[in-house]
Amino acid sequence: MNHPPIFEFLARRLDNAQVHCAEISSLADDVDLDVNDAYTIQSLLIDLRERRGETVIGAKLGFTSEAKMAQMGVSEVIVGRLTDAMRLGDGDDVDLTRFIHPKIEPEVAYRLGRDVGFDSDITDVAECVDAVAPAVEIIDSRYRDFRFTFTDVVADNTSAAAFAIGTWQPLQPVGNRAVRLTVGADEIVGSTSAILGDPVRALHALGRVCRQQGFTLRAGDVILAGAATAALPLTADIAHCEVAGLGTVSVKGVRP
């Protein structure tokens, strides 16, 4: 597919920012983009990562809270892609020098037990899920001073940087469960209901975006449903997340 050369330039600019941990100015400073343009740039960005040997292993949702939607002036979630290079193990050390200004969020993760077919409007992502788990996501916007537009975030693969997942549990309703995230002495508490009222609704929203943008979802893919609380800065401490009834997951920030 042919794309305007500026889209490829912007994808390389974002990729270089991630690879070299060097923040950049808002793309909106240089070019006007609509949401479809932004998803095209995101796809080109993922193409660059795949050429380096990374494999897409799932998707993540952003703007899943009403407050964040209102702040950004939007009414739909956004979707980014997860790759195997972003995956961390539960309890792993995380090299903070990999990131520009990392933050961490508590999440609910779902696992797909079969491919999702988007050739009709009948198949729902939620029908294809076979497990659920607590998770944390590290976000790392590549934009200077966190100054960005809605389309900037989409193009930047929704600030995706890394993630870790706790023990998978048999699929069960999540609804309204208490969530607690600590990073060292800092603590934030909340509820899984902050994710669109119920994290399962994120799966429905994911399906809509995937149909619109032509994304594929395969058996084994991981879905991060969205943040259950505001993010905390990820520092050289243990970050620990607990989701009531689902379990815990942790990582430790380190500076080699």
Side-chain angles (χ1 to χ4, degrees):
M1 182 181 295
N2 292 325
H3 306 290
I6 186 63
F7 288 3
E8 295 184 5
F9 170 79
L10 295 173
R12 288 194 299 272
R13 184 178 170 198
L14 284 164
D15 189 56
N16 286 333
Q18 183 265 322
V19 170
H20 300 291
C21 296
E23 58 189 4
I24 61 174
S25 59
S26 165
L27 305 187
D29 290 349
D30 303 310
V31 62
D32 291 328
L33 301 171
D34 64 25
V35 67
N36 290 320
D37 296 335
Y39 274 113
T40 298
I41 294 168
Q42 182 192 119
S43 291
L44 292 168
L45 177 65
I46 295 300
D47 285 345
L48 292 171
R49 300 190 72 150
E50 289 180 317
R51 290 177 201 170
R52 289 198 294 271
E54 296 183 32
T55 300
V56 174
I57 59 170
K60 57 150 289 187
L61 290 99
F63 297 169
T64 52
S65 75
E66 292 183 2
K68 193 64 175 180
M69 285 186 183
Q71 178 186 344
M72 298 302 293
V74 298
S75 58
E76 181 60 280
V77 303
I78 57 176
V79 173
R81 263 72 70 83
L82 303 173
T83 75
D84 56 348
M86 301 178 190
R87 181 169 49 198
L88 301 166
D90 186 6
D92 276 0
D93 288 351
V94 185
D95 181 358
L96 297 178
T97 64
R98 292 174 48 189
F99 312 110
I100 301 170
H101 32 221
K103 296 183 177 183
I104 192 164
E105 300 174 331
E107 299 252 355
V108 172
Y110 292 97
R111 187 182 67 198
L112 295 181
R114 59 186 174 94
D115 295 353
V116 180
F118 290 119
D119 52 350
S120 74
D121 292 333
I122 298 174
T123 303
D124 188 346
V125 177
E127 297 174 357
C128 302
V129 168
D130 70 354
V132 63
V136 288
E137 183 190 6
I138 298 171
I139 55 174
D140 190 33
S141 171
R142 269 54 76 161
Y143 299 110
R144 185 174 300 116
D145 300 324
F146 293 95
R147 186 177 69 85
F148 47 75
T149 66
F150 172 69
T151 52
D152 281 337
V153 180
V154 173
D156 189 29
N157 196 34
T158 66
S159 305
F163 68 95
I165 297 174
T167 301
W168 290 109
Q169 305 290 339
L171 184 60
Q172 57 195 274
V174 177
N176 179 11
R177 296 181 186 234
V179 175
R180 179 173 174 264
L181 174 69
T182 58
V183 181
D186 294 330
E187 177 183 90
I188 191 167
V189 295
S191 167
T192 56
S193 65
I195 306 170
L196 296 177
D198 184 329
V200 74
R201 294 176 184 163
L203 300 177
H204 306 321
L206 173 62
R208 292 194 297 271
V209 176
C210 287
R211 285 190 180 90
Q212 293 164 1
Q213 300 302 327
F215 296 165
T216 58
L217 296 172
R218 303 298 185 195
D221 279 359
V222 171
I223 309 299
L224 298 183
T229 71
L232 289 176
L234 181 60
T235 56
D237 290 292
I238 294 174
H240 181 83
C241 168
E242 179 177 3
V243 180
L246 288 186
T248 65
V249 59
S250 64
V251 295
K252 182 179 180 182
V254 296
R255 293 191 178 278

